[in-house]
Amino acid sequence: MDIDMVGGGGDAPYLDPELLQLPEVSPFVLKASPQLAEELFSQWLSLPDTIRLVKSLIDDAKVGNPVNFFGISVNTSASGGNSLPSLFPAGSAPPLSPRSSSGSPRMSKQKTGPSSLGSPLKLVSEPVQEFIPQFYFQNGRPPANELREQCILRIKHFFSNHLDGLRIDEFKSITKEICKLPSFFSSAIFRKIDSDCYGIVTRDAFIKYWVDGNMLAMDRTTCIFNILKQPEHYYLIQTDFKPVLRELLTTHPGLEFLQSTPEFQERYAETVIYRIFYYINRSGNGRLTLRELKRGNVIAAMQHADEEEDINKVLRYFSYEHFYVIYCKFWELDTDHDFLIDKENLLRYGNHALTYRIVDRIFSQVPRKFTSNIEGKMGYEDFVYFMLSEEDKSSEPSLEYWFKCLDLDGNGVLTPNEMQFFYEEQLHRMECISQEPVLFEDILCQIVDMIAPELHFR
C-alpha cells in the first residue's frame, strides 16, 4: 500500500503539532521543530494497526461509502489532498506513541480495557438504551412471588378446616400468625374485610384483602394505619382507635375486672387514646398521620400489651394504674361532678401549687384549645393533657405546653420580664409563709448557668 496517499502525495500539507496530542512532548517544541513532528507522524503511520485502519478508510472511499469518523462526516468523493485533519478531530484520543508501551506513562493510564481496533482511535457506538425498573407503585410495592406463594399456602392451611369461612371469634389466630399483628386487631381486620356484614370471612376474601391488597409487603406500622383509618382519610382520628381498645378490654386478662363497670371501660379507652395523641400527634390538630405514627412508639406498646398479662407493666399508654391516678385526680377536683373543671377547681391541684397567673394562662387556652366548648370550663381530655404536662416536664409536649404559658407575647422567645411576671407570685407566697425569699435575680443566674448561652448561642 502506498502510504503517501494519505498525505496527498507531492507537497504534503502543513501538519499542526496540536493534532498529535503528545503529553510527553511540549507543543511548543513540536512547533519549533516541524521536522520532529513529521517524523513522529511518519512513525505512527508505519505502525501495522495504523496501516490497517488507513487501508479500511481508503477502501470505503474508493467504493463511495460515506464515512462517519468520530461523529464527523467525511466526504470521500473529494480528493484526499487534505484529509489529515479529519482523522484527528479536536477532543479525540491522542495517537499512540511509537515508544514501548511498558515505558510510557500514558499507556499505563489509558489501559482500561481491550480495544477492538488496537488503536486509541475508536468508533463511537450507538448509545445503549438502559432499562429502568418500576420504582413507584400507587398501592405499594407488590410482594415477592416466593413470599406471596408461602403466605397463600399458610392461609390455605388455616382455612382447610373452615371451607365456608371464619367467624369473628375464630379470626384471632389469623391475626397473630398470618398478619403478625396484636390479637386485639382481629375484629378490626375482620370488619374491614367483611364490609357487607355477612358475619363470615372466606379464604378468597382474605387473600384478596391481605395478599392482593399488598398488605403482605407493608411494614407493621403501615398495616395498622391502613386497618384503622377511614377509606377517605389519609390520617387517624381518635375514634379510629376505639374498636381495637374495645376488643382489648374484652379479651385482655389484666382488664377482666372492668367488664362489670362499662362506664370505667369507656373512660379507660378514652384515657389511652388521649395519651397516644398527646405524645404522638405533635402537630396537635387531632389528625395522626402515618409519619407521626412511625416516629412514635405506640405500635411497640400495642405489641407489648398483647404479650403481657399484667397490663400495669405496660407503662406506655396502656397502664391501668396510670389511668386510675389521672381519673381519680380529675374526680377529686370536679366537686360538682359535672365532668367539668373551672379555675377555682384547678387552683386546688397539687395542694395549691399553681399560681393564679399560670391558671389564667391555661384557661385562656394559650397552650392548648379546650375541647369542652364551654366558656371557662376544662373537660376531661383537657385535664389529661394538663396533668401529663405537669407530672413529666421532661417530655417535648410538656416543654412546649409550659413554654407557651410563659411566652406572654407569643414571639417564641422567653425574656427575663416574662419569667419574672410569673415568679412574683411565688415570691409573695414565700413571704406570706415566713420563708426566706429567693430573689429572681438569683433564679435567673441559675437559669443562665444551666443554659450556658456562651456555648450554645455563639
Side-chain angles (χ1 to χ4, degrees), residues 51-316:
I51 294 174
R52 285 194 295 270
L53 175 62
V54 174
K55 186 177 184 305
S56 64
L57 294 175
I58 293 176
D59 292 341
D60 290 338
K62 287 181 178 179
V63 298
N65 292 334
V67 180
N68 190 304
F69 197 66
F70 288 97
I72 300 176
S73 297
V74 180
N75 187 2
T76 57
S77 60
S79 63
N82 194 12
S83 60
L84 184 60
S86 65
L87 295 179
F88 299 92
S92 62
L96 285 172
S97 171
R99 290 176 292 175
S100 172
S101 60
S102 60
S104 173
R106 180 181 59 204
M107 288 298 297
S108 62
K109 292 180 181 179
Q110 292 183 351
K111 193 178 295 183
T112 58
S115 173
S116 59
L117 296 177
S119 168
L121 302 176
K122 300 179 181 178
L123 296 175
V124 178
S125 60
E126 291 294 329
V128 179
Q129 185 175 4
E130 183 179 359
F131 173 74
I132 301 177
Q134 182 179 356
F135 57 87
Y136 171 75
F137 301 87
Q138 185 176 1
N139 298 319
R141 181 179 293 275
N145 291 334
E146 183 179 357
L147 180 62
R148 176 189 176 93
E149 293 174 359
Q150 291 178 358
C151 183
I152 291 177
L153 287 176
R154 296 185 65 192
I155 293 172
K156 290 181 178 179
H157 172 72
F158 272 91
F159 280 87
S160 59
N161 296 328
H162 303 83
L163 300 180
D164 296 334
L166 292 173
R167 299 188 181 277
I168 191 169
D169 56 340
E170 304 169 328
F171 204 74
K172 185 176 292 186
S173 58
I174 291 286
T175 303
K176 294 199 68 173
E177 300 299 328
I178 301 296
C179 302
K180 305 297 183 181
L181 296 178
S183 60
F184 51 87
F185 275 82
S186 60
S187 60
I189 300 174
F190 187 93
R191 292 188 175 93
K192 203 80 172 181
I193 302 174
D194 185 28
S195 57
D196 296 328
C197 300
Y198 292 132
I200 196 168
V201 168
T202 63
R203 182 189 66 184
D204 293 339
F206 180 75
I207 292 177
K208 180 179 179 181
Y209 174 76
W210 191 256
V211 180
D212 297 340
N214 291 340
M215 297 289 285
L216 179 62
M218 296 179 186
D219 58 88
R220 183 176 299 172
T221 305
T222 307
C223 284
I224 290 177
F225 181 81
N226 289 326
I227 292 169
L228 295 181
K229 78 178 186 68
Q230 301 299 320
E232 67 278 5
H233 289 171
Y234 59 91
Y235 51 83
L236 296 175
I237 57 178
Q238 292 184 2
T239 55
D240 293 333
F241 287 88
K242 287 189 175 181
V244 295
L245 286 171
R246 278 196 295 265
E247 186 172 0
L248 176 70
L249 285 162
T250 304
T251 60
H252 199 283
L255 297 170
E256 288 180 355
F257 67 96
L258 280 178
Q259 294 182 6
S260 59
T261 54
E263 65 275 13
F264 286 106
Q265 283 186 324
E266 187 69 20
R267 297 305 175 203
Y268 170 81
E270 289 178 353
T271 306
V272 171
I273 293 173
Y274 297 156
R275 294 180 69 184
I276 290 174
F277 273 75
Y278 172 82
Y279 286 104
I280 305 300
N281 183 216
R282 299 299 297 118
S283 60
N285 60 357
R287 297 180 174 185
L288 191 62
T289 63
L290 176 60
R291 176 175 293 184
E292 290 176 325
L293 192 65
K294 286 186 174 183
R295 288 179 175 177
N297 54 7
V298 64
I299 305 302
M302 288 179 174
Q303 200 72 31
H304 186 195
D306 189 48
E307 299 169 355
E308 178 59 59
E309 292 187 0
D310 187 357
I311 196 66
N312 293 318
K313 292 183 179 179
V314 188
L315 301 180
R316 295 173 295 182

Side-chain angles (χ1 to χ4, degrees), residues 405-421:
C405 287
L406 300 180
D407 187 14
L408 294 173
D409 54 7
N411 65 347
V413 177
L414 293 183
T415 63
N417 290 335
E418 289 172 329
M419 291 185 283
Q420 187 174 10
F421 174 77

